[in-house]
Structures are given as structure tokens and as C-alpha cells.
Amino acid sequence: MESRKRKISILGSTGSIGTQALEVIEKLSDKFEVVALACGHNTKLLEEQAKKFRPEYICLSDASAKLEIPGIKTLYGEEGLEEICSNKENDIILVAVSGKIGLKPTLKAIENKIPVALANKETLVMAGDIVMRKAKENNVDIIPVDSEHCAIHQCIKNIAQVEKLIITASGGPFLHKTTGEMQDASISDVLTHPRWNMGRKITVDSATLMNKGLEVIEAHHLFSMDYDKIEVVVHPQSIVHSAIEYKDGSVIAQLGLPSMHIPIQYAITYPERFEGIKSKSFSFAQIARLDFEEPDFNKFPSLKLAYSAGKTGGSAPVCMNAANEEAVYAFLDGKINYCDIYKIVEKMLSGHNAVLSPDIDEIFEIDNEIRVKTREYINCGLVEKV
Ligand code: MG
């Protein structure tokens, strides 16, 4: 890395990825300088982070939340995020907010030719065509943070030589449960992920395998690969983070212990590499075995829905994402059962006439429209009749 410190801003600094990113930055404190930290509602943690890392700015999502720290400028809301992403002092911006709020700041960073370490799924699921086109036009790197895409990013030398992408999935907590057992799954069953410790929304998505479906759509955009050349394989140990097969039959995989510190560090230090937080070395002998199996598309219909929405393209993934998010929150609120989640998504997708190349405003309109429709559908108790 350049000898001067790399200037970084983190959108979503109090979330799971954001806090781990700050642990990486603390470990590499001679290599990073924090320009801005932005959070959703955890103002207390943001205050602690700001006092420790001394950014120039902080950004709060809620204008009524007051936080004054001498010497640090306080910004608010989406405008604040866009102001951070317009500051060309940044060498990299880590977009680790969750939800659609990540999309516009990412586009702003790209317009300002600032590389983005992308952990926000919605950015590519909702607007992958637009985001990747703009990144190309502006010659800006989008470096994926998600462990699977980070793995593929590390494996690819020449994309033209790649035959297919192989994305691994831990299989979540219900891998070997029957459909009947899944029907009665409680919120806490769903939230107990065997390998990764993540936020609630993504943990539910990991149980339904919708998370893998979203990752397939992201991979399609990030690596401009056709959907029939993106394969999902279940790998419960989460040691192989993903792989690619080259045209000559060679398979290159990226392996590592399941720790998000590794892909986060890779993304924010790329193309350099440094000693990581966990220097415990990797031992094949200790791991002893790696298992793989095909995903069961019948047991996990959300994965099938994601492939199909992805292939339809246009606004179909927008619809799928919005319906899924609303359904997941309804599940977490105890309003619907686990198995209703995919049924709701399926219902919303089947009633959606996909717009072929929506612009950003249309994307947000469709997103909003589907959310309203999904909530109405759930609240009217129509779910049983699906
Ligand atoms: Mg992942």
C-alpha cells in the first residue's frame, strides 16, 4: 500500500460488517485514517467509535438524534451519506449499510471515482446493471466484501477464461431438516446460524437460502456471468468460500477459516495484503474433511425464485427483494410462519410485470409499490390462502 495512510469512510459502522471493519482498521492503524463514520440508530456506539477513530465527519440517519463531538462535523440522513461519498479525499468507501439506503451513496461514490468496498446486497440486486455500467464508465473498482464474492474476486485472473462460478452455501440451520420440521420453525430456530454471526435479516435469508439467491444475482453483475454459469453448492463447513472453474477444467477455490475479518480486510486493503487480526494459521489436517452436496431447490424454493427473477432481469429482482424483505420482517414480528416467506415472494413475483431497464427512480418506485402490496397482503391475512 502507498506509504501515506489510506483514507476510508464507513457507511454502516455500527453494524456487523462495520464493527469488524473497525477492528481490522484498529489492527492496521498505521495504514488507515478514518474520514467518516455513518450509522443507523446506534448513536451510542457511533459516539464511542468517533471518539476512538476521530473521523472528520459522522452521519446519523435520524435528524432528531443529537450527537455533538467537538472537532467532528455531524451530518444527517441520505444527504449526509451522499456528502461523504462526494468527498474525494476518500481513497475507499466501505458501504456496509443494510437495505436500499446503500444504493444512492454507492452511485455517488462511483460518480466521484472513489473505489467502493461493497457489502450492501441491495445495491447490485436492485440496480446491478446501472451500478456496474457506471463503475465501468468511471473506471472505478467495486470490491466485494461478501465472503463468496471476495473469494471469486481472489480466484479470477482473466474473466474471459472462466467457464463457471461455484458459490458455496453453508446450507443454514435447516440443511438436514424436513419440510415438515421447517414448517414449525420458531424465530429463534431460524436465527441460530451454524457458522456465521450476522444481522437478523441476513440470518433469516441464510435459513431460506434467499441469501444465496441474492448472492447469485450479485455475482451475475459483479463478474458479468450468465446465470446458467453460476452454480451453488452446499458446503456446511464454510471453509471453501467459493471457487471458479476455468475453461480448461482447472478449478481454483479460495479457502479460509470462517471469519468476516478476512474478506473485509482484503476488500479495504486491496490490492495489498497484510497480516490479519487472526493470525492462527490454516490447517488442512485439523479441518480433516470438507463436504459438498447439491442444494435442494424443492426444500429451499427461495433459491429457485432468485435464479428465475435474476434471469427475467429488469425490475424482477427489485420485486423479489422488496417482497422478501417485507416477508422476513413480518416473520420476525411473529405475523407469518417461516414457510410463508417464499410463498409471499412467489406470489408478488407472479403478479409483477417486470420493467426491462428501469432507471433509479423507477427502481425506487417499484420497490415502494411492492412493499406496500406485500404488507397489505400480509396484514389482510391472505397468507393462509396462498
Ligand atoms: Mg455471503
Side-chain angles (χ1 to χ4, degrees), residues 121 146-148 202 211-212 215:
K121 291 201 186 278
D146 207 351
S147 58
E148 294 79 2
I202 184 174
N211 181 53
K212 213 43 59 179
E215 289 177 0

Side-chain angles (χ1 to χ4, degrees), residues 227-279:
Y227 283 98
D228 44 18
K229 293 190 168 188
I230 305 175
E231 193 178 286
V232 171
V233 66
V234 173
H235 167 47
Q237 293 96 347
S238 298
I239 296 293
V240 176
H241 297 307
S242 279
I244 60 175
E245 183 181 334
Y246 280 103
K247 291 189 192 298
D248 61 4
S250 275
V251 175
I252 312 278
Q254 187 261 340
L255 283 71
L257 297 172
S259 158
M260 279 309 292
H261 288 115
I262 299 171
I264 292 168
Q265 178 169 319
Y266 172 85
I268 64 175
T269 61
Y270 176 81
E272 303 285 321
R273 286 187 192 261
F274 302 99
E275 190 185 325
I277 282 188
K278 286 177 187 135
S279 42

Side-chain angles (χ1 to χ4, degrees), residues 82-353:
E82 291 187 28
E83 187 176 335
I84 292 169
C85 292
S86 303
N87 184 339
K88 294 186 181 184
E89 244 191 289
N90 283 296
D91 294 305
I92 188 152
I93 294 178
L94 171 59
V95 181
V97 291
S98 68
K100 59 184 166 176
I101 194 165
L103 178 49
K104 286 184 180 170
T106 303
L107 285 170
K108 192 55 94 182
I110 293 170
E111 281 165 26
N112 285 290
K113 304 191 193 304
I114 305 166
V116 175
L118 187 62
N120 174 266
K121 291 201 186 278
E122 286 75 6
T123 297
L124 292 175
V125 171
M126 292 173 71
D129 290 329
I130 297 173
V131 170
M132 294 313 290
R133 192 183 64 233
K134 291 217 167 180
K136 207 172 170 188
E137 281 167 10
N138 287 285
N139 197 20
V140 170
D141 279 335
I142 306 285
I143 307 139
V145 172
D146 207 351
S147 58
E148 294 79 2
H149 307 100
C150 175
I152 293 170
H153 192 267
Q154 293 182 66
C155 295
I156 290 182
K157 271 193 189 153
N158 181 348
I159 188 82
Q161 297 171 339
V162 175
E163 178 60 28
K164 70 173 180 195
L165 309 180
I166 303 162
I167 298 182
T168 52
S170 71
F174 301 145
L175 177 57
H176 294 126
K177 292 265 189 291
T178 63
T179 309
E181 287 168 323
M182 280 158 53
Q183 184 73 42
D184 303 322
S186 69
I187 296 173
S188 76
D189 293 337
V190 175
L191 289 180
T192 313
H193 195 275
R195 296 284 163 207
W196 300 98
N197 186 10
M198 309 170 288
R200 282 155 61 92
K201 157 74 169 51
I202 184 174
T203 305
V204 177
D205 284 344
S206 297
T208 60
L209 292 202
M210 177 54 92
N211 181 53
K212 213 43 59 179
L214 298 173
E215 289 177 0
V216 166
I217 296 173
E218 291 179 275
H220 161 80
H221 292 294
L222 276 167
F223 307 109
S224 49
M225 190 64 62
D226 287 346
Y227 283 98
D228 44 18
K229 293 190 168 188
I230 305 175
E231 193 178 286
V232 171
V233 66
V234 173
H235 167 47
Q237 293 96 347
S238 298
I239 296 293
V240 176
H241 297 307
S242 279
I244 60 175
E245 183 181 334
Y246 280 103
K247 291 189 192 298
D248 61 4
S250 275
V251 175
I252 312 278
Q254 187 261 340
L255 283 71
L257 297 172
S259 158
M260 279 309 292
H261 288 115
I262 299 171
I264 292 168
Q265 178 169 319
Y266 172 85
I268 64 175
T269 61
Y270 176 81
E272 303 285 321
R273 286 187 192 261
F274 302 99
E275 190 185 325
I277 282 188
K278 286 177 187 135
S279 42
K280 191 176 140 201
S281 95
F282 184 89
S283 161
F284 272 105
Q286 226 168 51
I287 289 159
R289 59 180 283 179
L290 299 170
D291 297 310
F292 300 94
E293 61 185 272
E294 266 182 49
D296 184 337
F297 285 90
N298 295 321
K299 221 166 86 179
F300 299 104
S302 293
L303 183 56
K304 201 161 44 182
L305 290 175
Y307 267 100
S308 138
K311 281 180 189 169
T312 304
S315 63
V318 179
C319 166
M320 182 195 73
N321 177 65
N324 178 63
E325 194 173 323
E326 292 300 325
V328 168
Y329 286 124
F331 168 72
L332 289 171
D333 284 345
K335 289 182 182 167
I336 60 168
N337 289 327
Y338 168 81
C339 290
D340 294 327
I341 299 173
Y342 87 84
K343 291 178 189 163
I344 291 166
V345 177
E346 192 172 41
K347 176 81 186 171
M348 291 301 139
L349 267 175
S350 70
H352 179 65
N353 278 326

Side-chain angles (χ1 to χ4, degrees), residues 13-83:
S13 67
T14 59
S16 167
I17 299 289
T19 50
Q20 293 179 82
L22 284 173
E23 286 162 14
V24 169
I25 288 168
E26 193 178 6
K27 160 98 183 177
L28 301 176
S29 59
D30 57 330
K31 301 194 164 55
F32 283 99
E33 186 178 326
V34 178
V35 176
L37 295 174
C39 83
H41 299 287
N42 198 344
T43 312
K44 196 171 169 291
L45 180 57
L46 183 75
E47 184 176 7
E48 283 171 30
Q49 293 176 339
K51 286 180 174 164
K52 189 166 181 181
F53 292 92
R54 300 299 307 171
E56 280 174 51
Y57 312 89
I58 50 173
C59 180
L60 307 174
S61 71
D62 179 4
S64 65
K66 283 273 167 283
L67 180 56
E68 307 276 340
I69 304 173
I72 298 176
K73 191 176 166 193
T74 306
L75 306 171
Y76 294 96
E78 267 184 73
E79 267 173 43
L81 295 181
E82 291 187 28
E83 187 176 335

